Amino acid sequence: PRNASKIVPLPLHAGLPTDEQLRVFETAERGTRKVIIATNIAEASVTIDGVKFVVDCGFVKIRTFNPTTALASLAIIPVSIASATQRAGRAGRTSAGICYRLYTETSMRSLPRTTPPEIMRTDMTTPILQLKSLGIDDLMKFEWVTGPPAESVLRALEGLFAAGMIGEDGRLTPVGEKVAECPLEVHISRMLFSSKEFKCGEEILTIAAMSSVQDVFLISDGAAGALAELERRKFTAEEGDHLTLLNAFNAFAKYGKSSGWCRAHALSFRALSRAVSIRAQLKKYMQRFGLPIESCEGDAKRLRRCLVSGYWKNGARWVADGTYRSVKGDTVLHVHPNSVLFTRKPRSGWVIFHEMEETKKTQIRILTEIEPDWLLEYGHKYFDKRTGESHAPSPPPWAQVSRRKRTRKLFTTTPPFNSHRMSWTTFRITQLHLKPLQTGSRL
């Protein structure tokens, strides 16, 4: 109708920049009606004044974890009665309101009473490491509030043993005791301790912090997204996403950690500011354990080998159809659209990735190109369930030839180098306006 109020749709989810999140709290202008499309962040985390009506779809998207495949996925399931009650409570917080549920009363009576506890649907590696650091070694007799699946516990113990965090007696090793004190995932903590061997503590510290935040690059749809993609290419490193994140952080620090600079370069000021805070905290842990914070002096190979020491379980090889196959389980993997390697084949054909998640298809995020030999050199071994023997995965067909011939074969099958991508060392010199690195120099 001509006299109807104008609708102003506003999104609300955790990935939005702070200024866009705050728009939902602003009072609607006269003659307009504010409509907020929210995830379950609005269920209990925030209270928005003036909400009179709530529309409950009856579903929720939660993260689940499959211990057999080590695959995290976002599953859409019916809400619980407790969640439905919380959603109804969003209407009428400050005045009378109405909740419209898009399901029948009979369907509501069949809903579960509560949402499954997170311990039932999460990776148990870090929780078990923390329990062992508290002296709780006998997990079979531990009185859980809600017991986790046995498969999750067994797979977590296998992973900790393979990573050298626990010994054959089930107790923490000296390295495991130190890693347990770091507020990070086990593989990232392991990477920090390996930085002493590779002399790249400064860069690994930054990568660990940047991997802990989400949505560093703000790339939307349409023309604005195309411009944002051009800005991201200024930071792109041909080696992959880890070094691209490192470039973005170094540039952010060099140009004064400015919010205006972030907006001009399609970067999230909130994510980068949080990364600065996380890096400062992790730096204290490294100093506490006597880990040197030294630069790799632009040696991207040394830095990537250090990444493999932590991500050795997350290896994948490129196949001709443009997808990847995981080293463990031979799972079909698709590169996340936001990755630097989304439209490019890695020169070596092998990558490591930060995490794997399943939506409509299995995707891997934050990739870096590696040499396959590195997987065999740094912790890449598995245990046969039947014999108990440890063994390394079978090498590729060309693994028996000389290194010179192997290198020639890799590079002759590589597509032409894309002009908008540059190596990490080249980026340091051109984009950050640094002089060529000399002995003892740093960013």
Side-chain angles (χ1 to χ4, degrees), residues 205-234:
L205 187 60
T206 301
I207 290 175
M210 291 292 282
S211 300
S212 301
V213 299
Q214 295 183 344
D215 301 320
V216 175
F217 294 98
L218 301 177
I219 301 178
S220 56
D221 298 327
L227 293 175
E229 176 61 29
L230 291 176
E231 290 296 330
R232 186 179 71 161
R233 290 182 180 181
K234 296 178 181 179

Side-chain angles (χ1 to χ4, degrees), residues 286-344:
M286 292 188 70
Q287 292 171 339
R288 176 181 174 184
F289 293 119
L291 298 174
I293 305 174
E294 52 189 335
S295 174
C296 66
E297 308 296 352
D299 190 345
K301 180 179 178 180
R302 195 197 315 170
L303 183 57
R304 289 184 293 142
R305 293 182 76 160
C306 186
L307 289 172
V308 172
S309 70
Y311 288 108
W312 57 270
K313 287 200 299 183
N314 294 357
R317 71 183 190 281
W318 184 87
V319 294
D321 62 359
T323 62
Y324 288 80
R325 298 293 184 272
S326 62
V327 175
K328 182 179 180 181
D330 206 39
T331 306
V332 179
L333 305 174
H334 300 264
V335 180
H336 194 278
N338 290 341
S339 172
V340 170
L341 299 178
F342 179 60
T343 57
R344 185 175 71 90

Side-chain angles (χ1 to χ4, degrees), residues 63-83:
R63 184 177 292 274
T64 60
F65 180 76
N66 186 333
T68 304
T69 61
L71 180 63
S73 61
L74 291 171
I76 299 176
I77 64 172
V79 297
S80 63
I81 294 177
S83 293

Side-chain angles (χ1 to χ4, degrees), residues 112 241 387:
D241 297 309
T387 65

Side-chain angles (χ1 to χ4, degrees), residues 373-392:
D373 290 351
W374 300 346
L375 290 173
L376 303 179
E377 293 172 2
Y378 299 103
H380 196 70
K381 58 183 180 180
Y382 292 107
F383 294 87
D384 193 310
K385 294 181 180 179
R386 294 170 295 180
T387 65
E389 297 179 355
S390 64
H391 58 277

Side-chain angles (χ1 to χ4, degrees), residues 218-256:
L218 301 177
I219 301 178
S220 56
D221 298 327
L227 293 175
E229 176 61 29
L230 291 176
E231 290 296 330
R232 186 179 71 161
R233 290 182 180 181
K234 296 178 181 179
F235 308 101
T236 299
E238 63 170 333
E239 294 87 352
D241 297 309
H242 288 95
L243 273 64
T244 298
L245 292 174
L246 176 61
N247 289 339
F249 183 92
N250 288 341
F252 176 66
K254 176 180 175 62
Y255 291 103

